[in-house]
Amino acid sequence: MAEQEDRVNLTIDGRPVSVPKGSVIWAAAQQLGIEVPIYCYHPKMAPLGACRMCFVEVEKMPKLATACTTVVTEGMAVRTDTPQVKKARQGTLEFLLINHPLDCPICDKGGECDLQDFTLRYGPGASRFDLSKRHFAKPIPVSEQILLDRERCIACQRCVRFCQEVAMENGLVMLQRGFRTEVGVDPHAPFDSTFSGNVVEMCPVGALTAKSYRFITRPWELRRTASVCGMCAVGCNVRVDVRVDKVLRQYGRVNDSIDDGWLCDRGRWNLEMINSPERLRTPLIRRDGQLQPAPWDEALALAARRLTEIARRDGARAVGGIGSTHTTNEEAYLFQKLLRAGLGTHNVDHFHGNFPAPREGALPWVWTDSIAGLEHASHIVLLGADPYTRQPIVDLRMRKAIRAGARVFILSPEPTRLDRLATGVVRYQAGQTGMVARTLLRAVLEEHLTRGPYAQARAGELPTRLKALGKASAKASGADAEALRALARALATAKGAVILYDERATREPTGATLPSDILDLALLTDNFGRPGAGAGPLLADNNSLGARDMGVLPDLLPGYRAVRDDAARQALARAWGTTLPTEPGLSYDEMLAGGVRALYVMGADPARHATPEQLARLESLEFLVAQDLFLTETAKRAAVVLPAVAYTEKDGTFTNTERCVQVVRRAMIELPGARADWAILAGVAKAMGLDWSVASPADVLREIARTVPIYAGASRRALGAEGARWPLAPATSPADGAPTDGTARIHGTPALTWAMLERGIEVSDEEPALPRGRGEQG
């Protein structure tokens, strides 16, 4: 009944529709598939009603109404195609075209321009204006990446309102008045936002254009593919636009639960890596001290033979592998499988933060809430993190939370772009993030600020926990002690607080217990297990979490099952048709310290992070295989170099920082001479004599769904257009936000039941049809 009361029933062009209370007419028309043209309106910003293009006729209203500002009411009758509406739209378009240049053939927006399209559909057939149009010097740069053609601007104000309302920065402003109105840059606030590219995408005409795309191609020449950005751990949904063999741009693709429809400039324009002429195009083998081109079969055979020989001669622990945080889940899974099942070693790891082993079933490196959940938080704490530069769209979501009333506290050694919007800012000495966390936890325990069922159940343990914190103090970290105590009190009374830290802070001298301390801080203050309350790390790369999920760790099998867990290890060994060692392998640092004689490196560059001692050990290896897009510092030292492809050239899945598994789709052909990482690994396995029967990433995902419990039921079809957060099968506890009704919810819909999975019902790998734009490929 309450749900019915929250909806409004109306008719549009005689067709009934029910929409949420508070919706505007335009949104209701969209639900019916009825086009109401708009220029100034954007669904992610407040209505403005400036362009007067969306006029509709509403029964019992004396004048035409703007569909973007008029809120629907029960029983409302709307018409979008009456003579009065058509005449009003024609008048608006004729007015806009008075000074708009007729340069569509050379305009970058031609072919995807709303003014061009709406003029064709709703505009007058001819112009009555026969005087000279106004002209400006063109183009003028408004930022390093964006150019402005002022005569094309229709003053819709989308760009200005995005800067002020969404990004909450004053980069672009409206200058002058009346017919002289134009977009300009605030002289006191340069337009240097990392979100600036969104104004190019939302501009309905060709006024704002990207330097990197200007005069490069035409929209109808592009192949458009729905995929996922590979530039950071947020996993924004994107549309990859490709012409022939080059990625020309990435545009945002709305996924409200992750990116809210926005995209940062790094994801939009940092495409040089994909298009670089420096990419490897052929395998290389070291002969006479020099890396020389070689056929694929020879390179794969040499890598397989030498790795196997060293493992047999010196024992499996003499061989190791360093995996990647950039490759897909399928490739990470095959990589650790090659090391474990093919070479018999658990010496597999990747460069990552220092996270402790699972405790009481909890994974300290997992964000217990979600990106969208930030909007429900009353308090957000950033500890040693700067999402503006590392995970930009998370920063943008925090700005949205601030607009909704959230209080943000930033604890950081250095200033951040978000400082000016924060409720509180606390500075401390670099490298002391862990000490600050322990100081907060100590304040909660000393002042008896604990609350909630978790704290009550462990009341007897709290004195011991306080004692274990030792001499944690604000003085040791250089932070303001009273500010930290005030923050501890705020957390203890918050309606819902989210506490986030950067993964790299765990590698600081005081960061060894940071993940556990932050998790305890959330649990003991009852900020856990509901939207807008939780804790966790902000990871660095596009598949940082996926690498961990897939078992690219020396002590944990895929799905975070301990190597020493006999039942888990034996079950995986049976699935693979092999036996597995009982003891954990060597870590990343231990392998680089000289623990192995041969090393297989995929999609990583340990030489870049190495200390002088580690670099010397890397150079002294008996055999080194490097698999990458470029001749990295590590590859330069390798005996075999295998050229891989970029994320836009292959299929697979990524898992983002909030554990959402999403489908990555191939948007272009592979670079000639290079291969996808999964195909290279399958080739090495074949050369070793392993029977993997892997023909595509979908085959690997099916195996992952069978062998990795938290990915049970995963398929490209089940993940669909927006992905799903693991565990895909129901959890035993609602603490992680998973449903408890026996249903794995995908896109919020009961899609797979645990009973179905137990009965072994086949789940199709075919993807559902995705919404497509002009020229977009599924």
Side-chain angles (χ1 to χ4, degrees):
M1 182 64 69
E3 185 175 342
Q4 292 179 354
E5 292 175 354
D6 288 338
R7 301 190 69 82
V8 175
N9 300 292
L10 68 154
T11 62
I12 302 180
D13 293 341
R15 298 167 58 186
V17 64
S18 177
V19 296
K21 184 182 293 185
S23 300
V24 295
I25 294 175
W26 180 87
Q30 284 288 105
Q31 189 168 315
L32 287 172
I34 297 173
E35 181 182 67
V36 175
I38 52 171
Y39 288 126
C40 67
Y41 181 72
H42 191 283
K44 298 295 182 181
M45 296 188 291
L48 181 64
C51 71
R52 322 308 285 177
M53 188 64 201
C54 64
F55 277 133
V56 293
E57 192 172 300
V58 180
E59 190 176 276
K60 298 180 182 179
M61 281 193 180
K63 296 182 179 180
L64 297 179
T66 49
C68 74
T69 62
T70 305
V71 177
V72 298
T73 59
E74 186 66 29
M76 177 182 277
V78 180
R79 301 293 301 185
T80 68
D81 56 357
T82 65
Q84 293 91 336
V85 169
K86 292 178 180 178
K87 182 179 180 182
R89 290 177 182 171
Q90 281 190 356
T92 297
L93 286 167
E94 188 173 22
F95 181 77
L96 291 176
L97 290 170
I98 285 176
N99 277 309
H100 193 89
L102 301 180
D103 60 351
C104 299
I106 63 167
C107 177
D108 282 310
K109 200 74 170 183
E112 55 184 8
C113 171
D114 288 342
L115 183 60
Q116 190 179 53
D117 291 346
F118 293 159
T119 299
L120 182 65
R121 293 202 284 272
Y122 307 109
S127 174
R128 293 177 291 174
F129 185 78
D130 58 0
L131 301 177
S132 297
K133 296 176 181 284
R134 65 180 181 181
H135 296 281
F136 294 98
K138 57 180 291 184
I140 61 171
V142 293
S143 74
E144 292 183 0
Q145 296 282 357
I146 300 173
L147 299 173
L148 170 64
D149 289 282
R150 288 173 289 175
E151 70 270 31
R152 293 178 185 164
C153 179
I154 60 173
C156 71
Q157 303 181 47
R158 278 188 187 178
C159 57
V160 172
R161 292 195 301 129
F162 171 83
C163 293
Q164 296 174 353
E165 295 179 19
V166 180
M168 301 175 76
E169 296 179 333
N170 295 323
L172 296 181
V173 295
M174 299 303 294
L175 304 175
Q176 305 293 339
R177 298 182 65 183
F179 74 94
R180 293 189 177 88
T181 299
E182 63 181 73
V183 172
V185 179
D186 185 337
H188 305 294
F191 189 37
D192 59 356
S193 170
T194 193
F195 310 116
S196 64
N198 289 285
V199 304
V200 174
E201 183 172 344
M202 67 169 52
C203 181
V205 293
L208 293 166
T209 54
K211 283 184 181 180
S212 60
Y213 184 78
R214 192 174 177 88
F215 304 139
I216 297 296
T217 188
R218 310 300 292 173
W220 53 85
E221 297 176 329
L222 297 173
R223 175 186 172 93
R224 304 179 177 189
T225 305
S227 192
V228 177
C229 181
M231 297 300 174
C232 80
V234 177
C236 296
N237 288 208
V238 295
R239 191 193 76 202
V240 185
D241 288 359
V242 174
R243 183 176 183 269
V244 189
D245 61 349
K246 184 175 290 187
V247 179
L248 296 184
R249 64 184 182 184
Q250 287 192 153
Y251 265 15
R253 182 169 60 88
V254 179
N255 185 341
D256 287 336
S257 64
I258 294 176
D259 49 60
D260 209 22
W262 309 118
L263 187 64
C264 75
D265 289 357
R266 191 187 343 158
R268 187 179 303 278
W269 289 321
N270 283 15
L271 307 173
E272 295 87 354
M273 174 197 72
I274 300 170
N275 299 324
S276 173
E278 300 299 319
R279 285 181 54 185
L280 296 170
R281 292 173 175 263
T282 183
L284 304 173
I285 291 177
R286 190 170 298 278
R287 296 188 177 99
D288 301 323
Q290 299 294 321
L291 286 171
Q292 300 178 12
W296 266 104
D297 288 347
E298 182 182 355
L300 294 175
L302 177 59
R305 185 180 74 252
R306 291 292 289 127
L307 290 171
T308 303
E309 286 175 354
I310 295 171
R312 288 174 178 170
R313 184 191 70 202
D314 300 320
R317 289 183 69 85
V319 178
I322 292 178
S324 175
T325 54
H326 297 282
T327 53
T328 65
N329 287 320
E330 292 80 357
E331 291 162 344
Y333 177 86
L334 289 183
F335 183 71
Q336 61 85 34
K337 181 181 179 181
L338 182 71
L339 271 293
R340 288 184 162 118
L343 296 170
T345 180
H346 291 302
N347 293 346
V348 56
D349 204 352
H350 63 287
F351 185 78
H352 55 78
N354 291 324
F355 295 103
R359 175 170 59 88
E360 300 178 14
L363 305 176
W365 55 84
V366 169
W367 185 353
T368 62
D369 191 34
S370 66
I371 295 173
L374 289 169
E375 295 180 26
H376 304 286
S378 63
H379 295 66
I380 300 172
V381 178
L382 286 176
L383 183 54
D386 183 7
Y388 181 86
T389 57
R390 301 261 288 170
Q391 304 88 11
I393 296 301
V394 171
D395 176 278
L396 201 62
R397 187 77 73 152
M398 291 179 183
R399 293 168 190 252
K400 187 175 182 180
I402 290 171
R403 295 195 299 275
R407 304 175 67 199
V408 173
F409 296 85
I410 299 176
L411 288 65
S412 171
E414 301 291 338
T416 74
R417 190 89 169 214
L418 199 60
D419 285 357
R420 65 183 181 84
L421 301 175
T423 300
V425 177
V426 178
R427 295 278 178 260
Y428 58 87
Q429 296 173 6
Q432 295 295 317
T433 305
M435 182 62 72
V436 173
R438 289 195 291 277
T439 304
L440 280 170
L441 186 55
R442 187 180 187 89
V444 167
L445 293 172
E446 283 183 342
E447 297 191 16
H448 306 291
L449 300 174
T450 59
R451 59 173 180 166
Y454 180 88
Q456 293 170 6
R458 289 159 178 78
E461 304 171 14
L462 299 185
T464 304
R465 184 70 175 96
L466 176 59
K467 186 176 181 181
L469 290 172
K471 298 181 179 180
S473 68
K475 184 177 180 180
S477 63
D480 184 326
E482 188 50 43
L484 292 183
R485 287 192 172 274
L487 177 55
R489 297 181 196 116
L491 291 175
T493 57
K495 177 182 177 183
V498 177
I499 310 167
L500 300 173
Y501 59 94
D502 196 291
E503 174 188 13
R504 63 185 174 183
T506 65
R507 299 186 69 89
E508 295 175 358
T510 64
T513 62
L514 178 61
S516 295
D517 292 336
I518 293 297
L519 183 60
D520 279 348
L521 185 61
L523 289 169
L524 292 173
T525 56
D526 198 28
N527 287 301
F528 190 86
R530 62 186 183 279
L538 291 173
L539 303 175
D541 299 322
N542 55 293
N543 209 30
S544 290
L545 186 58
R548 302 184 70 83
D549 293 350
M550 294 299 108
V552 186
L553 295 165
D555 56 341
L556 295 174
L557 301 171
Y560 305 113
R561 296 163 294 173
V563 166
R564 288 197 173 103
D565 183 333
D566 292 341
R569 188 183 64 255
Q570 291 166 8
L572 189 61
R574 284 194 300 272
W576 288 348
T578 186
T579 58
L580 296 175
T582 59
E583 292 300 312
L586 300 177
S587 70
Y588 178 95
D589 290 329
E590 289 170 336
M591 284 188 280
L592 291 183
V596 296
R597 299 181 62 84
L599 192 62
Y600 190 159
V601 179
M602 178 185 75
D605 189 10
R608 184 165 59 94
H609 302 288
T611 64
E613 294 78 12
Q614 289 175 332
L615 196 58
R617 294 286 188 181
L618 198 63
E619 292 173 343
S620 67
L621 286 169
E622 181 177 337
F623 189 69
L624 174 61
V625 180
Q627 183 171 310
D628 213 308
L629 279 71
F630 298 92
L631 192 65
T632 62
E633 289 302 313
T634 301
K636 291 175 183 178
R637 296 164 169 80
V640 177
V641 179
L642 304 172
V645 301
Y647 71 94
T648 55
E649 300 165 48
K650 58 188 176 184
D651 291 319
T653 56
F654 290 154
T655 303
N656 76 349
T657 195
E658 60 158 14
R659 68 181 193 277
C660 184
V661 188
Q662 301 186 92
V663 175
V664 179
R665 300 172 183 86
R666 191 176 76 167
M668 58 195 298
I669 61 172
E670 295 178 350
L671 183 73
R675 295 183 181 179
D677 290 283
W678 68 266
I680 298 173
L681 293 167
V684 174
K686 183 178 180 181
M688 287 181 177
L690 302 176
D691 182 16
W692 276 8
S693 302
V694 173
S696 71
D699 292 338
V700 186
L701 186 57
R702 274 193 291 270
E703 181 175 331
I704 291 171
R706 293 194 301 268
T707 60
V708 183
I710 58 177
Y711 280 65
S715 71
R716 292 174 71 88
R717 181 176 181 81
L719 297 175
E722 296 182 348
R725 298 177 69 207
W726 63 254
L728 303 185
T732 56
S733 165
D736 61 3
T740 56
D741 58 359
T743 301
R745 294 190 181 273
I746 297 187
H747 310 155
T749 304
L752 301 171
T753 67
W754 186 240
M756 286 171 60
L757 297 173
E758 285 184 326
R759 292 199 303 270
I761 293 178
E762 186 69 20
V763 179
S764 171
D765 279 319
E766 294 184 7
E767 295 184 62
L770 298 177
R772 297 182 184 178
R774 282 173 286 196
E776 185 169 340
Q777 305 296 315

